[in-house]
Amino acid sequence: MRFMARFDPIFQTALDHMADTHTRRVLRPVRHAGAATVIRDGRELVNFSSNDYLGLSHHPALTARATEWLQQDGTGAGASRLVTGTTAGHMQVEARLAAFKGCEAAVILASGWQANASVLAALLRLAAEQGAPPLVFTDRLNHASLHQGCMAAGVRQIRFRHNDLGHLDSLLERHAGDDARAMRVIVTESVFSMDGDRTDIAQLGALARRHGAFTYVDEAHATGVLGPQGRGLCAGHEIDLVMGTFSKALGGFGAYVAGSRALCDWLTNACSGFVFTTAPPPAVLGAMDAALELVPMLDEARARLARNAEHIRGVIHGCGLSSGPSTTQIIPIMTGGAAHALSFATRLETHGILATAIRPPTVPPNGSRIRLALSAAHTDGMIDRLAHAISLAARERA
């Protein structure tokens, strides 16, 4: 043990620096008492930090099918998909997912981070093999997993200003005369997880077609919530590759990529995050299957979620605070400094609200915030309680 601890001073110095800058994280366990409440330190809190946007994590249809498939096929898949890990359940979920997304095919992966980091890396390596390094245009606020995919492929990102498609257009024009063999790839998100704003997918698709660019769009925070029947903002638009997750509005775990049959067949051969990992287990697949069956029927829940989000943005603005560019169920309360975000979160918790402070490096310096994530599982009373807590916390801060 003494030998194992000899580098601890290095780690402790880094931890001390994080503490001094109010950016050190500490794990605080909770018990989920339902889709919208947690128990922490013996106290019930209304949870406004979960990505369970439709409250499906506790829906009886998901738990019943997860249990059914678990009892039928056991606790694990036992191998990777290309060995003996593929079951009829995997094929059923992928077919249902492709139909839901309006694509020819879909591939399930273990997590959203793994999907972006490995799928994007595989795609960009293939593009480089065509004769020239790809030109990759990325939104400055893309998720860390998307940056990781670019880094893993060894490509330089050409970053455009956040959600500024005019700037993206100008960058594509600037590089129009570069090596004609180089594949143009645009990588962005449809809904951004920290700001709650959305990309104009119609404009993005038109711009990509004009420049002959491949489009890769992360729909993790839109799937289930936005678009017709919750099919995401890319539904009905010409986007080459759509990625999303089951771990947010779909109430379970895992991720997916949807696109053409050729694309998906190639990924099952070339994407390391698919080839070299154990297949998702039966219980996870059962929850996926039930969610995909249920989500198209939840239009009323999606409408209520949108109304509640608009109401809370009004409360925030009425307190003299900013909710940034949010237009979705993700609503930041901008605080600036990390210390201010932590103290605001503490004040909310004293009023029975769990709303996590988000600090650098997750967000830019001086961009700390409270990240509210609303759910259709929140009752009117819970929404009223949140509004009251925000007003009290804002006055206490002043």
Side-chain angles (χ1 to χ4, degrees):
M1 289 298 295
R2 189 71 182 165
F3 172 80
M4 293 172 65
R6 63 180 176 155
F7 293 105
D8 280 3
I10 297 173
F11 306 134
Q12 192 59 54
T13 298
L15 288 168
D16 292 344
H17 176 70
M18 292 176 188
D20 290 342
T21 57
H22 306 285
T23 58
R24 180 174 177 175
R25 277 75 165 170
V26 178
L27 297 175
R28 297 183 63 194
V30 300
R31 180 172 68 82
H32 293 273
T37 56
V38 298
I39 307 297
R40 172 179 279 175
D41 299 328
R43 184 177 178 219
E44 184 175 275
L45 302 171
V46 184
N47 187 2
F48 283 96
S49 287
S50 169
N51 294 328
D52 186 10
Y53 302 130
L54 294 175
L56 295 187
S57 66
H58 285 69
H59 195 285
L62 273 69
T63 56
R65 196 162 303 173
T67 301
E68 176 190 345
W69 288 27
L70 167 69
Q71 292 175 338
Q72 175 179 297
D73 293 323
T75 59
S80 64
R81 291 287 301 276
L82 293 176
V83 183
T84 60
T86 294
T87 66
H90 291 87
M91 306 300 282
Q92 176 176 318
V93 171
E94 286 175 339
R96 192 189 290 273
L97 177 59
F100 175 68
K101 298 299 291 184
C103 296
E104 291 180 354
V107 178
I108 300 170
L109 293 105
S111 75
W113 198 97
Q114 182 205 50
N116 279 335
S118 60
V119 170
L120 186 55
L123 175 69
L124 297 179
R125 290 192 187 108
L126 177 65
E129 292 170 4
Q130 305 307 302
L135 298 174
V136 185
F137 301 84
T138 61
D139 190 291
R140 286 189 176 277
L141 295 188
N142 274 351
H143 192 269
S145 57
L146 293 169
H147 295 305
Q148 180 64 33
C150 293
M151 288 189 290
V155 301
R156 182 179 71 87
Q157 298 181 56
I158 304 169
R159 300 193 183 189
F160 58 92
R161 290 187 292 269
H162 175 52
N163 254 347
D164 188 340
L165 297 186
H167 186 220
L168 171 60
D169 192 15
S170 69
L171 290 173
L172 285 161
E173 287 285 357
R174 185 184 307 170
H175 290 274
D178 292 4
D179 195 327
R181 299 170 301 166
M183 183 177 180
R184 273 70 173 163
V185 181
I186 300 170
V187 182
T188 191
E189 303 179 45
S190 62
V191 172
F192 287 82
S193 61
M194 291 297 116
D195 291 284
D197 54 344
R198 61 185 89 189
T199 295
D200 185 334
I201 298 296
Q203 184 182 352
L204 177 73
L207 187 155
R209 289 192 297 276
R210 190 163 67 249
H211 291 279
F214 183 97
T215 45
Y216 184 119
V217 179
D218 180 330
E219 286 253 75
H221 295 273
T223 300
V225 179
L226 299 171
Q229 298 182 309
R231 294 191 291 125
L233 292 177
C234 291
H237 298 286
E238 294 183 28
I239 299 300
D240 297 292
L241 184 154
V242 175
M243 171 270 172
T245 64
F246 290 93
S247 55
K248 298 175 178 65
L250 299 190
F253 186 73
Y256 67 83
V257 168
S260 70
R261 170 55 64 186
L263 168 66
C264 291
D265 285 351
W266 173 77
L267 285 172
T268 63
N269 285 271
C271 173
S272 62
F274 179 89
V275 175
F276 299 110
T277 194
T278 301
V284 169
L285 289 173
M288 289 176 175
D289 192 63
L292 289 169
E293 185 177 300
L294 188 63
V295 162
M297 300 182 287
L298 298 179
D299 282 347
E300 194 281 327
R302 283 184 281 271
R304 185 172 71 255
L305 182 59
R307 289 194 301 270
N308 286 340
E310 188 61 29
H311 170 58
I312 292 301
R313 278 190 289 270
V315 170
I316 293 168
H317 300 159
C319 293
L321 301 171
S322 170
S323 62
S326 168
T327 62
T328 66
Q329 75 282 357
I330 301 168
I331 310 171
I333 303 176
M334 308 303 295
T335 63
H340 289 147
L342 287 169
S343 63
F344 203 103
T346 299
R347 289 194 296 275
L348 288 175
E349 188 165 337
T350 64
H351 299 298
I353 300 296
L354 177 59
T356 304
I358 306 296
R359 296 158 286 158
T362 306
V363 291
N366 298 315
S368 294
R369 67 202 63 187
I370 301 297
R371 179 189 180 272
L372 299 174
L374 272 57
S375 170
H378 290 131
T379 65
D380 290 345
M382 291 173 176
I383 294 295
D384 290 342
R385 188 173 177 183
L386 172 63
H388 184 59
I390 292 171
S391 298
L392 290 176
R395 286 203 297 270
E396 290 162 5
R397 179 187 182 189

